[in-house]
Amino acid sequence: MVFRFGMSVLLFVMISVEICRMAKSETGNHEYTLSSVREALVRQEDTIIFNLIERVKFPINSRTYHQNYASFPAFHGSLVDFVVKNTEAIQAKAGRYQSPEENPFFPENLPPSLMPHYPFSKILHPEAALVNINKSIWKVYFDEMLPLFVASGDDGNYAQTAASDLSLLQAISRRIHYGKFVAEVKFRESPHDYEPLIRARDTEGLMKLLTFASVEEMVKKRVEKKAMVFGQEVSLERDDDDKGNYKVDPSLVSRLYDKWVIPLTKEVEVEYLLRRLD
């Protein structure tokens, strides 16, 4: 019993340290600028691609998502529901959601943090900071993204599959919700451009103002190239590795950004700006 308690405390501390490290690596004490925000978005591309590579190691493993496959005391839902909700509860206690860069998928009834408060930079407008589109991300991920990336089949690794889903979901969510920081920085740089559109509730005008097609094309090309580099199959038996054989299809990574990540990020930006003057 003492051993189990000790291991639980150790695990809790390790999670707390890692969460604080991740949060500080993006925020630190520096001032948010459009340049620093874009640098953070570039780093998050790496995390998403590496987590994609981890997830595609497993087939779809559809039983992970069946409501009646697994049975847990006092819990109704699928295995992935169970893993995500319980992991978020532990991470909430460890202080993950104290960071303004983190947004839970199941914010209802999350336990309070047990960690000392960390003075994160207060850049986001309080009302607008509450924007959370994780329910949309959850639905898109399971209904559209997964079938595109993973092979059909079942290898029985359901717990590992759920854990991989969680890591990838959190990485995608973090990147998309970083749109709140993008919107805030852009608003502060040109409030006179945004305020009339916000007051008029002109979502189309805001979307147009936020959209830079050339930047989006650059992002899509960059993530495709990164997927080529990170996902190469490396062999010591050949001088020239097979560059056409990748762990995850680079063109699909570009499509992921084109069809979901970039549009959902802009959706967050618009939702944030609509609340910016509240």
Side-chain angles (χ1 to χ4, degrees):
M1 180 67 71
V2 173
F3 175 75
R4 285 187 176 180
F5 178 77
M7 288 300 292
S8 299
V9 172
L10 177 60
L11 178 60
F12 182 86
V13 171
M14 289 173 65
I15 292 173
S16 304
V17 170
E18 175 63 13
I19 289 168
C20 288
R21 183 197 66 76
M22 289 190 301
K24 291 180 185 178
S25 70
E26 298 290 1
T27 55
N29 292 315
H30 70 262
E31 290 294 324
Y32 283 90
T33 64
L34 196 54
S35 176
S36 68
V37 167
R38 282 176 175 164
E39 288 174 4
L41 293 175
V42 171
R43 291 194 296 272
Q44 290 172 37
E45 293 168 2
D46 302 356
T47 306
I48 289 173
I49 293 169
F50 282 124
N51 278 298
L52 268 171
I53 291 171
E54 287 300 304
R55 177 58 186 89
V56 299
K57 291 194 303 187
F58 305 105
I60 189 67
N61 284 338
S62 58
R63 289 177 179 173
T64 308
Y65 318 113
H66 288 175
Q67 295 292 310
N68 299 321
Y69 176 72
S71 178
F72 305 100
F75 182 87
H76 177 71
S78 67
L79 175 59
V80 76
D81 294 331
F82 181 81
V83 169
V84 173
K85 289 181 180 180
N86 281 278
T87 303
E88 284 194 339
I90 294 173
Q91 292 178 339
K93 290 180 181 179
R96 179 174 190 138
Y97 301 109
Q98 287 186 19
S99 169
E101 298 181 8
E102 302 293 343
N103 298 270
F105 282 89
F106 297 98
E108 309 86 1
N109 303 317
L110 277 184
S113 171
L114 302 179
M115 302 301 295
H117 177 72
Y118 180 81
F120 291 103
S121 300
K122 301 294 184 182
I123 181 176
L124 297 180
H125 184 71
E127 289 297 319
L130 300 176
V131 170
N132 185 330
I133 67 164
N134 269 336
K135 287 190 180 351
S136 296
I137 295 172
W138 181 276
K139 179 173 176 54
V140 163
Y141 177 81
F142 290 109
D143 291 353
E144 301 180 54
M145 292 186 194
L146 266 190
L148 185 67
F149 282 95
V150 301
S152 59
D154 188 317
D155 66 1
N157 290 304
Y158 308 134
Q160 298 92 322
T161 296
S164 294
D165 282 329
L166 173 58
S167 296
L168 181 51
L169 275 165
Q170 288 181 327
I172 291 172
S173 170
R174 196 164 194 262
R175 197 284 184 193
I176 289 171
H177 285 99
Y178 221 78
K180 290 187 278 188
F181 294 90
V182 176
E184 178 63 30
V185 170
K186 288 182 177 180
F187 176 86
R188 292 190 183 192
E189 287 187 348
S190 305
H192 54 279
D193 291 332
Y194 288 96
E195 286 185 7
L197 297 173
I198 294 171
R199 297 186 192 283
R201 316 300 289 177
D202 185 353
T203 57
E204 186 176 339
L206 287 170
M207 185 66 75
K208 184 177 180 180
L209 191 59
L210 291 165
T211 299
F212 294 89
S214 60
V215 174
E216 293 178 10
E217 285 302 315
M218 181 180 64
V219 170
K220 289 184 285 186
K221 289 179 181 178
R222 186 173 58 236
V223 296
E224 183 169 358
K225 187 171 183 178
K226 283 185 177 183
M228 291 179 182
V229 175
F230 300 161
Q232 286 185 49
E233 294 288 354
V234 178
S235 172
L236 296 178
E237 298 176 357
R238 297 191 305 269
D239 292 332
D240 184 22
D241 296 315
D242 183 1
K243 292 181 172 56
N245 188 17
Y246 302 107
K247 296 182 178 73
V248 60
D249 186 341
S251 66
L252 291 182
V253 178
S254 177
R255 185 177 174 188
L256 170 73
Y257 268 75
D258 180 41
K259 189 172 181 180
W260 296 294
V261 173
I262 292 174
L264 288 172
T265 301
K266 291 196 291 185
E267 180 180 323
V268 166
E269 292 179 38
V270 170
E271 288 299 318
Y272 179 91
L273 288 169
L274 289 174
R275 304 186 192 186
R276 181 57 179 77
L277 302 180
D278 292 351

